[in-house]
Amino acid sequence: MPDTLVTRVAAATPAPLAARVRGLSDRTIKWLFIGPTMLLLLAINIFPLVWTIRLSFTNFRANRPNATVLGVGIDNYISVLTDPDVWQAMQATAHFLFWTISLQTLIGFGLAYLIDRKFRGHGFWTTLILIPMMLSPAVVGNFWAFLYQPQIGLFNYAVSFFTGIPASSFEMIGSVKLAPWSIIIVDTWMWTPYVMLICLAGLRSIPDYIYEAAEVDRASKWRQFWSITLPMVLPFIMLAVLFRGIENFKMFDMVNLLTSGGPGSTTELASITLKREAFEKWRTGYSSAFAIILFVAVFGLANIYVKALNAVKNR
Amino acid sequence: MRSMSQHLAAGFAATLLALGGQSAHAQGKTITLCWAAWDPANALVELSKDFTTKTGTKMKFEFVPWPNFADRMLNELNSKGKLCDLIIGDSQWIGGSAESGHYVKLNDFFAKEGIKMSDFMPATVLGYSEWPKGTPNYWALPAMGDALGWTYRKDWFAKPELQSEFKTKYQRDLAPPKTWDEFKQVAEFFQNRKIDGKTVYGAYLFTERGSEGITMGVSNVLYPFGFKYQDPKKPYNMEGFVNSPDAVKGLEFYKSLYKCCTPPGLTNSYMQEGLDAFKSGQVAMQMNWFAFFPGLYKDPNVGGDKIGFFLNPTEKTKGVQLGGQGISVVAYSPNQAEALAYIKWFATPEVQKKWWALGGYSCHKAVLQDPGFTKSAPFAKEFLESMDSVVDFWAEPSYAQLLLAEQKRVHDFVVADKGTAKQALDGLIADWTKAFKEDGKLK
Amino acid sequence: MIGITTAHSVVEPSARTRWVAGVIVVLYAVLTLVPLVWIILTSVKSPPDSISYPPKVIFSPTVEGYCNLFTTRSRQTEEYLKSLPPPTSNCDQIARDRSMVVAGPSNYIPRFTNSLIIAFGSTALSVGLGVMAAYAFSRFKVPLKDDLLFFILSTRMMPPIAVAIPIYLMYRELGLSDTRLGMILLYSAVNVSLAVWLLKGFIDEIPREYEEAAMVDGYTRLQAFRKVVLPQATTGIVATAIFCLIFAWNEYAFAVLLTSGEAQTAPPFIPIIIGEGGQDWPAVAAGTTLFLIPILVFTVLLRRHLLRGITFGAVRK
């Protein structure tokens, strides 16, 4: 900086005084920077959450704003927890969660491992693999319904081309047995790249010298994988599982457009049931209780999981 | 061939020019009409040009496909939205919309303008305009008459080899069925038959799970079998009427039809899939709304001589699921005067006649009772006959809850093979009782 | 180690391994792209071709799908058609061949525009707020910092449908129903949690020494933030922006419940494009293809930043 009177004076000013003189203080900046974010979150996330809790204790229906609203205590909660339809939805959600996470983790990690071998052109192919996850889940669900049509859709014909099973002998979204798999396949198609990216980041973060040391110790590639690669990527894999788990617990658009929750209710996930109760039957109080229960469930599970994740990170 | 972008640019330019041409006259207001996106809506766009010419008010349209129509529009009404000035709402919304103040009550307007409800077919006034039912309180003008009818491949039925084979097997002619037993015979006859080198199937049935499809379809079978919604003498009492032995038989029959005689993979199908299936030559008979029949008749692949129409078969009695809508003025609209003017214009006999000619189903007696009506289209006679025996679903304010309950119970039984028919109907009574209790209609 | 000449590091995989890995990955990539290619192909089929059974792989392409996407048409009688002047465009010609007339533009462009405004607007807002909050959390002592951060993350755990109920009621009262501002605020609120978490990770990695040196040199805290920290955090900001954009661009649940005529975006619109009796698959495919392009371009250009973004340093040593 130029050596003028101003700068010499500035340099000579003691630090605390200088801090105050030089523009806004750190404290002000701190609250200025955090304030708007907290305000937005309070307005759009917290306030509605509190409102939902309040609604869950009433019999309010949003399509009858003029009807008298009665408090009903915990009746709504009891209704939700004893409703067999709700438990059916939770079961469907659990099945969906388990299989999508398992498949996506396996395939995603596998892909990441292969890409990490750094074959020629891997950057290009990686970018191509990413494309499915950039589509809108709702549009994807809608389009896969078209692909799954046994008469006019591509899926059955492709399967019969590769395996010889006749194309009109089975149907994906119509059969009670296969419909849950149809949604699992589409979700895996969409989100495996996401898991792959995370695992790839994990694999890339393992420094070469660890492997070199292992080579010097003449550890086999197999041993290297189990004792170096996997443990070091594990926190990343767990992170991917956490994010996919939270997202798929809330899954609504893709499945709703693919199967509408059918046939019957075999693919009716928790969010779809919630939407029906809240925005089609307009049972606002009841669905608020359901929403709170879902939130508490996810929150609790995520809490436990993050503690486990931190334990793995810090070992 | 010129490039795609050149085509697009040309297309844009053309539509811009067309728009420019239209806005040349009329500095008047613009009002928005909301309806479902289907053939009749396109016809209405054409018809409404007359209104713009006569009054200078321009029309904008918001059309939503049927599976999303109820959700979207009810959402709109419940959030007091100003999107729609006029709405052609489904017949079942009348109760809720009247009681929640979404629609403008039209009695005074009708009186002032001399629009008489007696000019419209009684079934349509009851179904599309009145709430409470059976009282002279009008919340809509009957706009689109509709019912569930049937189309069939006349050209296949006319094939001599098929006729002789059918006659040998069933000792009667291969013809559009009049009863449900006849229907099943015809459907079984066509199922998995090879016609013109392709495998075809007997019939197409509604099975849609999300909005109302399977309920509309199954009702067409339940009503003729004897299903009733409630005790005619004791409202909201359903035991013995919803789950009578006849109703159980009817529900089982629908499932047997679904299992034996439909194309594979149609487990969540409603109007559009039916049209696709029929137009691509997959089925011999198709269940669908009369609203589509004008378009089907004009279809290059299956229209004209190839298509025929028949009335919903009977069994113990007759009954046809009512469709159709009335046109209402939205209470939150800032353009109610212009909206009412539209209704006044729409109610005149000349406009109603043109409506029918363009493909809409008028409810006006001047059109339907005209001697030339039954000849004016190959499905006109069946339409008129259907309107004599139409039955509608509940139009209660809680209708959505009632409808969704039946959707679930019926789809679980028919498509997902859960439980028995009796269990499904018993469960349905339980669901409906719960809804009526929540609504205060039952104690 | 006599006789072994390795010209490369011992940890690099052999050429054979790389070839096998490459083949498997390429196979996966091709397989996973088949549905997408089918979508693009469908967008240039005619409606009857798109629902032909069995599905057609060879067909004659047409722009009918794109025409149908951008226009509304109505069926007319033959006499009326004959009375019209000759068709003015290719789309018009195609409509006439099907006994229809182009009646006006469809809602696709307004929906697409809404998507652009709402997605980019909310991304800007959430990333802007996020980077400031992240900086504060990273550099300053904030009371209950860890709890606040977890609270911020937990706002993402509510199913959107659940949050939509009170937001619907709230927006109805405030008149924010079906407004672009309402949607921008909503998406920003949802994205800001992700933004804060991601950006805090990135900013944590930037050594404090740089800005402290700048402040010793006479910069204010704000200037140091702007001139020293932000440029270094560019990668992180870009990565965060991509994720926020993808979410806001593709979001459906809130859009379908809280918007209708004015502020509706493309995702609720595309699946309901109906042609004459039946979903107009070429138009839907055309809409999907066009809708994918901005995100695709954005992501391909910035793909290097994506990799850095996903782990946001939270799991680094």
Side-chain angles (χ1 to χ4, degrees):
Chain A
M1 289 190 65
D3 189 30
T4 62
L5 176 63
V6 173
T7 55
R8 268 189 274 137
V9 166
T13 321
L17 183 57
R20 259 203 305 199
V21 167
R22 277 189 243 121
L24 299 167
S25 77
D26 275 1
R27 265 195 75 204
T28 321
I29 291 185
K30 176 169 68 174
W31 294 116
L32 202 64
F33 273 20
I34 298 186
T37 302
M38 301 311 290
L39 216 66
L40 188 62
L41 285 175
L42 271 169
I44 307 262
N45 275 311
I46 301 311
F47 176 62
L49 178 62
V50 170
W51 195 345
T52 304
I53 299 179
R54 249 203 66 214
L55 282 176
S56 70
F57 293 116
T58 70
N59 69 347
F60 179 67
R61 302 179 75 117
N63 65 335
R64 319 264 191 94
N66 309 319
T68 39
V69 178
L70 300 166
V72 293
I74 58 170
D75 279 357
N76 286 327
Y77 286 92
I78 299 181
S79 277
V80 172
L81 291 170
T82 56
D83 192 337
D85 294 338
V86 168
W87 286 108
Q88 154 98 36
M90 299 309 291
Q91 242 182 308
T93 312
H95 181 269
F96 178 69
L97 264 175
F98 176 77
W99 284 106
T100 50
I101 292 182
S102 309
L103 285 172
Q104 288 168 25
T105 309
L106 272 166
I107 303 178
F109 179 75
L111 277 176
Y113 190 75
L114 291 172
I115 291 177
D116 200 36
R117 305 301 97 200
K118 299 202 191 50
F119 55 90
R120 204 171 44 173
H122 70 275
F124 170 73
W125 291 104
T126 310
T127 312
L128 279 187
I129 293 181
L130 290 183
I131 297 181
M133 91 181 186
M134 291 178 225
L135 297 166
S136 167
V139 176
V140 166
N142 179 240
F143 210 87
W144 271 87
F146 177 56
L147 288 174
Y148 274 138
Q149 291 281 332
Q151 309 285 73
I152 61 179
L154 186 62
F155 187 81
N156 280 36
Y157 288 95
V159 167
S160 98
F161 180 75
F162 283 114
T163 64
I165 305 173
S168 42
S169 67
F170 69 101
E171 38 167 0
M172 292 301 294
I173 50 183
S175 110
V176 174
K177 282 209 252 352
L178 290 175
W181 293 102
S182 68
I183 58 178
I184 291 171
I185 291 175
V186 178
D187 193 72
T188 305
W189 174 81
M190 264 195 90
W191 293 106
T192 301
Y194 183 81
V195 179
M196 177 202 79
L197 273 184
I198 297 187
C199 293
L200 195 58
L203 285 170
R204 297 241 174 112
S205 74
I206 306 175
D208 271 348
Y209 67 77
I210 299 191
Y211 286 117
E212 284 167 10
E215 283 280 324
V216 167
D217 282 349
R218 294 197 286 182
S220 71
K221 288 269 187 261
W222 199 235
R223 268 235 35 229
Q224 286 179 33
F225 180 79
W226 283 108
S227 55
I228 302 178
T229 316
L230 215 44
M232 295 198 74
V233 186
L234 190 60
F236 289 81
I237 298 180
M238 288 183 72
L239 202 64
V241 167
L242 175 68
F243 285 146
R244 293 302 310 139
I246 295 182
E247 287 306 310
N248 277 8
F249 193 86
K250 308 185 295 183
M251 165 61 70
F252 170 74
D253 25 16
M254 189 270 284
V255 177
N256 198 37
L257 271 110
L258 186 61
T259 61
S260 303
S265 314
T266 44
T267 57
E268 188 169 303
L269 303 185
S271 277
I272 298 182
T273 306
L274 184 58
K275 191 243 177 190
R276 291 225 165 105
E277 293 293 332
F279 286 98
E280 291 179 24
K281 297 186 189 173
W282 296 99
R283 295 169 75 194
T284 317
Y286 176 90
S287 54
S288 300
F290 190 19
I292 297 295
I293 292 177
L294 284 177
F295 176 60
V296 166
V298 171
F299 193 83
L301 289 171
N303 228 334
I304 301 175
Y305 189 88
V306 167
K307 291 209 169 55
L309 176 59
N310 284 330
V312 168
K313 243 175 36 176
N314 297 330
R315 65 175 146 71
Chain B
M1 227 177 107
R2 288 154 68 208
S3 76
M4 184 105 88
S5 50
Q6 281 180 305
H7 291 157
L8 279 177
F12 264 104
T15 51
L16 280 176
L17 278 173
L19 277 180
Q22 269 186 357
S23 58
H25 65 96
Q27 287 294 315
K29 276 191 177 183
T30 307
I31 57 174
T32 306
L33 186 149
C34 297
W35 200 10
W38 57 340
D39 294 350
N42 296 332
L44 189 64
V45 173
E46 268 316 294
L47 185 71
S48 306
K49 291 189 178 155
D50 181 56
F51 175 70
T52 305
T53 321
K54 287 209 174 103
T55 63
T57 308
K58 290 191 287 215
M59 296 300 295
K60 237 175 75 161
F61 296 95
E62 183 78 20
F63 294 145
V64 181
W66 273 109
N68 312 80
F69 181 51
D71 265 4
R72 171 91 185 275
M73 285 301 145
L74 291 177
N75 205 354
E76 182 69 24
L77 290 173
N78 281 325
S79 40
K80 305 204 174 109
K82 299 219 180 9
L83 171 70
C84 309
D85 299 297
L86 286 159
I87 190 167
I88 303 189
D90 214 0
S91 52
Q92 288 101 0
W93 307 357
I94 285 274
S97 302
E99 287 191 11
S100 303
H102 298 321
Y103 290 169
V104 171
K105 189 166 178 186
L106 295 171
N107 287 50
D108 292 337
F109 175 72
F110 287 163
K112 196 173 80 154
E113 300 291 346
I115 298 175
K116 292 202 280 304
M117 283 290 106
S118 52
D119 281 339
F120 293 87
M121 298 293 278
T124 64
V125 176
L126 176 68
Y128 311 149
S129 311
E130 283 177 12
W131 184 263
K133 294 288 171 206
T135 68
N137 294 299
Y138 307 117
W139 303 88
L141 183 83
M144 171 79 186
D146 206 359
L148 263 188
W150 291 89
T151 68
Y152 71 99
R153 288 298 296 266
K154 215 152 108 180
D155 55 333
W156 294 355
F157 278 47
K159 282 183 190 281
E161 62 275 18
L162 293 182
Q163 284 195 343
S164 59
E165 199 185 319
F166 190 82
K167 185 111 188 227
T168 323
K169 194 159 181 198
Y170 294 110
Q171 281 87 48
R172 62 181 180 86
D173 284 325
L174 177 58
K178 293 214 181 40
T179 70
W180 281 107
D181 291 320
E182 286 180 13
F183 183 93
K184 190 159 186 202
Q185 288 174 343
V186 176
E188 280 170 345
F189 182 72
F190 278 100
Q191 184 72 359
N192 287 320
R193 187 170 284 271
K194 257 204 158 44
I195 295 193
D196 299 335
K198 286 220 291 237
T199 310
V200 303
Y201 305 93
Y204 172 85
L205 301 175
F206 286 163
T207 54
E208 189 246 9
R209 167 79 180 87
S211 61
E212 59 174 14
I214 200 170
T215 302
M216 297 290 113
V218 81
S219 298
N220 243 21
V221 173
L222 288 176
Y223 298 156
F225 269 75
F227 168 97
K228 293 230 178 313
Y229 284 105
Q230 56 190 328
D231 188 338
K233 296 194 214 83
K234 276 177 82 188
Y236 306 112
N237 273 55
M238 301 168 280
E239 185 65 39
F241 291 87
V242 168
N243 59 352
S244 61
D246 288 329
V248 172
K249 261 191 22 214
L251 185 54
E252 284 167 353
F253 189 78
Y254 194 75
K255 179 171 178 158
S256 72
L257 277 181
Y258 167 73
K259 292 277 183 222
C260 81
C261 311
T262 55
L266 292 181
T267 54
N268 189 21
S269 318
Y270 196 16
M271 320 179 209
Q272 340 292 5
E273 292 80 0
L275 297 170
D276 281 348
F278 191 77
K279 286 204 261 193
S280 61
Q282 280 181 51
V283 290
M285 301 182 284
Q286 178 213 179
M287 152 193 285
N288 224 321
W289 301 100
F290 273 93
F292 293 108
F293 293 178
L296 281 173
Y297 185 62
K298 293 204 189 87
D299 186 87
N301 289 342
V302 299
D305 288 332
K306 298 197 178 136
I307 193 173
F309 307 92
F310 62 93
L311 188 57
N312 195 38
T314 60
E315 189 66 14
K316 235 182 170 168
T317 167
K318 55 182 180 166
V320 181
Q321 174 61 44
L322 180 69
Q325 297 88 37
I327 184 169
S328 310
V329 177
V330 176
Y332 315 114
S333 154
N335 303 313
Q336 289 187 19
E338 289 79 7
L340 288 168
Y342 187 89
I343 293 193
K344 178 174 170 195
W345 160 84
F346 188 73
T348 56
E350 310 82 60
V351 176
Q352 289 289 313
K353 289 205 170 88
K354 196 155 171 243
W355 178 223
W356 169 245
L358 281 174
Y361 280 75
S362 165
C363 308
H364 204 286
K365 282 183 181 167
V367 178
L368 296 176
Q369 291 180 340
D370 185 282
F373 178 74
T374 45
K375 302 264 186 344
S376 58
F379 37 84
K381 181 160 143 287
E382 285 77 12
F383 175 65
L384 211 46
E385 278 180 40
S386 303
M387 293 313 271
D388 267 340
S389 51
V390 283
V391 182
D392 199 6
F393 189 80
W394 302 99
E396 298 278 324
S398 55
Y399 98 91
Q401 206 171 334
L402 305 169
L403 182 59
L404 288 171
E406 183 165 350
Q407 283 286 102
K408 182 166 157 54
R409 296 280 176 192
V410 173
H411 206 270
D412 272 347
F413 170 66
V414 170
V415 180
D417 295 327
K418 270 217 193 113
T420 70
K422 178 106 192 353
Q423 285 171 342
L425 291 173
D426 287 342
L428 186 58
I429 293 186
D431 293 337
W432 284 357
T433 308
K434 189 162 83 168
F436 288 134
K437 280 200 178 136
E438 280 181 15
D439 223 16
K441 296 270 164 55
L442 277 177
K443 292 286 166 267
Chain C
M1 305 263 278
I2 301 165
I4 299 178
T5 46
T6 46
H8 55 89
S9 150
V10 287
V11 298
E12 258 190 48
S14 71
R16 203 187 63 136
T17 317
R18 272 190 276 158
W19 187 85
V20 170
V23 165
I24 300 180
V25 171
V26 169
L27 266 170
Y28 179 87
V30 168
L31 204 64
T32 211
L33 284 180
V34 165
L36 199 59
V37 169
W38 190 252
I39 295 180
I40 301 178
L41 280 181
T42 307
S43 74
V44 289
K45 283 184 182 172
S46 67
D49 275 348
S50 67
I51 56 170
S52 74
Y53 106 93
K56 280 192 184 168
V57 183
I58 320 275
F59 57 91
S60 48
T62 156
V63 284
E64 189 171 355
Y66 288 89
C67 284
N68 289 358
L69 179 67
F70 287 112
T71 62
T72 56
R73 302 154 306 286
S74 61
R75 184 166 281 279
Q76 298 299 338
T77 55
E78 288 304 322
E79 308 83 62
Y80 180 75
L81 286 171
K82 291 208 183 71
S83 73
L84 289 174
T88 43
S89 71
N90 222 347
C91 286
D92 221 352
Q93 176 64 52
I94 295 177
R96 300 279 181 90
D97 287 341
R98 299 212 183 276
S99 306
M100 293 198 277
V101 157
V102 170
S106 71
N107 276 330
Y108 187 67
I109 304 260
R111 305 289 186 247
F112 196 89
T113 313
N114 281 341
S115 274
L116 282 172
I117 295 177
I118 294 175
F120 279 91
S122 67
T123 301
L125 187 59
S126 49
V127 170
L129 289 181
V131 75
M132 296 199 300
Y135 180 77
F137 277 115
S138 174
R139 298 303 193 233
F140 302 133
K141 273 212 234 312
V142 179
L144 299 172
K145 186 198 301 213
D146 285 331
D147 291 326
L148 274 178
L149 284 170
F150 190 75
F151 151 76
I152 290 180
L153 182 65
S154 68
T155 59
R156 288 185 79 86
M157 294 184 197
M158 265 292 238
I161 303 291
V163 178
I165 306 169
I167 299 252
Y168 174 83
L169 297 170
M170 193 165 84
Y171 274 20
R172 184 165 73 177
E173 294 310 308
L174 295 175
L176 282 174
S177 252
D178 197 26
T179 59
R180 290 198 269 250
L181 177 63
M183 296 313 288
I184 289 180
L185 286 176
L186 182 59
Y187 286 168
S188 306
V190 175
N191 269 333
V192 79
S193 48
L194 180 69
V196 169
W197 264 76
L198 284 176
L199 289 164
K200 176 169 177 303
F202 284 111
I203 295 182
D204 280 344
E205 285 180 12
I206 303 173
R208 291 167 191 253
E209 291 77 53
Y210 292 140
E211 68 226 57
E212 276 166 21
M215 289 196 291
V216 164
D217 277 350
Y219 281 74
T220 66
R221 170 71 74 174
L222 278 180
Q223 286 176 318
F225 174 66
R226 253 183 42 233
K227 296 197 206 283
V228 175
V229 176
L230 281 186
Q232 298 230 343
T234 307
T235 304
I237 293 178
V238 168
T240 309
I242 295 179
F243 282 113
C244 292
L245 190 68
I246 292 183
F247 167 79
W249 186 255
N250 289 335
E251 205 278 332
Y252 174 82
F254 286 132
V256 86
L257 292 170
L258 298 169
T259 65
S260 61
E262 288 294 314
Q264 195 183 62
T265 54
F269 177 74
I270 294 175
I272 61 173
I273 299 178
I274 291 280
E276 275 239 309
Q279 188 145 34
D280 193 338
W281 290 112
V284 170
T288 308
T289 310
L290 291 178
F291 193 60
L292 177 60
I293 291 177
I295 281 277
L296 200 56
V297 165
F298 204 65
T299 312
V300 164
L301 288 179
L302 303 166
R303 66 184 177 283
R304 275 177 255 283
H305 303 278
L306 254 185
L307 198 53
R308 287 215 60 204
I310 358 171
T311 53
F312 53 79
V315 200
R316 215 137 319 173
K317 291 167 281 298

